[in-house]
Amino acid sequence: MSVVWLQLITLLCLSFGAPSRADGYEVIRIKVGKQVTIQCKSASNQEMLYLKRGLNEEEDIFYLTDLKSTINQKFTDRLQFHGQVPNVHILLKNLTLDDTGPYWCVYKMSSNYKLKTSRGNGSVLLVVTESGPAPVCTGQSQGDLVLVSVVICAAVLIVVLTVFLIWIIIKTKPLRSTVKKRQVPVNDVYEDMRGTIRR
């Protein structure tokens, strides 16, 4: 029984956890029709920047080198960029529900006649919603969310363990009788013999 509870608590804790900034991305919730700026940055000198979309970076949204830039046909009238490789600010305007998904800042650099690919900072998980508040989750708020979820999980675990221990104590503790035992006079053969001997 307790194993089931522990598995359930673990599942709840993991499902309410937040992604960390250590992965190099942030989660942005924004309304339909608004705009978002993706800030691609890299510490090292890079030659090419790709903005890719999808879990496996399957769709090229934007490509930039020192000489040219290419914008995906779906985004030609909605995408603007400012800056030079490796630090580029990419503005996506008039967002739709179809724009929801992960966007990756991918850098490529030729070295020894081979292209080396690396992810840069600034990648985002964009969630476009129809209505409601659109908070932007930054590293600090994600850290707070992780801390709150860990505290809640620990409190739930302590309560469950306490209830379980109380249940075990109640089940194993023998019930004490509250009725006092009454002394019954014993009619024993030996007592009768003692009485006749004394006479």
Side-chain angles (χ1 to χ4, degrees), residues 187-197:
N187 285 335
D188 198 4
V189 173
Y190 297 109
E191 287 183 9
D192 288 343
M193 289 176 67
R194 282 187 212 143
T196 52
I197 294 176

Side-chain angles (χ1 to χ4, degrees), residues 171-187:
K171 278 296 217 184
T172 58
K173 193 174 186 180
L175 294 176
R176 294 182 182 162
S177 176
T178 56
V179 178
K180 291 184 178 180
K181 290 185 179 178
R182 194 175 57 167
Q183 289 189 355
V184 179
V186 179
N187 285 335

Side-chain angles (χ1 to χ4, degrees), residues 19-31:
S20 66
R21 291 281 294 186
D23 295 338
Y25 70 91
E26 65 179 317
V27 179
I28 299 176
R29 295 181 62 94
I30 206 152
K31 291 182 188 178

Side-chain angles (χ1 to χ4, degrees), residues 24-26 36 38 40 51-54 57 59 61 75 78 92 95-96 98-106 122-128:
Y25 70 91
E26 65 179 317
V36 67
I38 300 172
C40 294
L51 180 65
K52 295 183 174 268
R53 181 169 74 170
E57 303 170 9
E59 184 180 7
I61 304 297
F75 293 90
R78 301 189 300 133
L92 292 175
L95 293 171
T96 65
D98 292 334
D99 293 330
T100 297
Y103 289 79
W104 306 98
C105 297
V106 179
S123 300
V124 298
L125 174 59
L126 181 62
V127 180
V128 181

Side-chain angles (χ1 to χ4, degrees), residues 21-77:
R21 291 281 294 186
D23 295 338
Y25 70 91
E26 65 179 317
V27 179
I28 299 176
R29 295 181 62 94
I30 206 152
K31 291 182 188 178
V32 171
K34 299 289 183 180
Q35 63 187 24
V36 67
T37 301
I38 300 172
Q39 300 176 4
C40 294
K41 297 178 183 175
S42 178
S44 61
N45 290 332
Q46 303 288 340
E47 296 174 0
M48 296 172 257
L49 166 67
Y50 287 85
L51 180 65
K52 295 183 174 268
R53 181 169 74 170
L55 291 175
N56 298 317
E57 303 170 9
E58 56 267 359
E59 184 180 7
D60 288 337
I61 304 297
F62 174 69
Y63 165 76
L64 179 67
T65 64
D66 289 337
L67 302 174
K68 73 173 196 173
S69 65
T70 305
I71 299 174
N72 186 321
Q73 192 173 16
K74 295 178 190 176
F75 293 90
T76 50
D77 57 341

Side-chain angles (χ1 to χ4, degrees), residues 130-192:
E130 288 185 5
S131 62
V136 176
C137 295
T138 62
Q140 181 64 31
S141 65
Q142 284 183 356
D144 293 344
L145 185 59
V146 169
L147 179 64
V148 167
S149 63
V150 167
V151 168
I152 290 172
C153 289
V156 168
L157 183 63
I158 289 171
V159 167
V160 168
L161 287 176
T162 304
V163 168
F164 182 70
L165 288 174
I166 291 171
W167 180 74
I168 287 177
I169 290 171
I170 290 173
K171 278 296 217 184
T172 58
K173 193 174 186 180
L175 294 176
R176 294 182 182 162
S177 176
T178 56
V179 178
K180 291 184 178 180
K181 290 185 179 178
R182 194 175 57 167
Q183 289 189 355
V184 179
V186 179
N187 285 335
D188 198 4
V189 173
Y190 297 109
E191 287 183 9
D192 288 343

